Amino acid sequence: MNYDKAHIRSEYEAVKCTVDLTIRQRELLEAWLYAGQTMGQLALRYGITRSTVSRAINRAVEKIEQFFKPEFSL
């Protein structure tokens, strides 16, 4: 999935103290956003598959984006 990293970084900075991410989600997301590591590099570093990294980051991004969605849409 193609994300706008600058946008995600901005949203994450706004909610990182309150968003409920697992330790692994937080580690992978921060390494991907701030250290510029690819999902392939993270997979090698953590000894997991690239798809596992992708799923963890996708879930983290979904949780972050939930903070910016209205509870009720009209």
Side-chain angles (χ1 to χ4, degrees):
M1 190 171 262
N2 288 334
Y3 288 115
D4 177 356
K5 282 189 179 182
H7 179 73
I8 295 168
R9 230 184 338 263
S10 170
E11 286 185 342
Y12 180 60
E13 285 297 320
V15 299
K16 72 180 175 182
C17 292
T18 56
V19 70
D20 185 26
L21 300 179
T22 66
I23 292 170
R24 176 63 57 94
Q25 286 172 335
R26 192 173 302 275
E27 287 175 351
L28 292 171
L29 180 68
E30 289 181 2
W32 180 71
L33 284 176
Y34 299 112
Q37 294 186 336
T38 66
M39 291 187 193
Q41 290 170 325
L42 291 169
L44 287 173
R45 179 177 167 193
Y46 286 89
I48 55 180
T49 66
R50 187 189 177 289
S51 64
T52 300
V53 172
S54 179
R55 281 192 305 273
I57 289 174
N58 287 338
R59 286 186 188 122
V61 170
E62 288 171 2
K63 288 179 180 182
I64 292 165
E65 289 178 342
Q66 287 300 313
F67 275 85
F68 297 97
K69 291 185 179 177
E71 275 191 58
F72 303 100
S73 36
L74 300 173

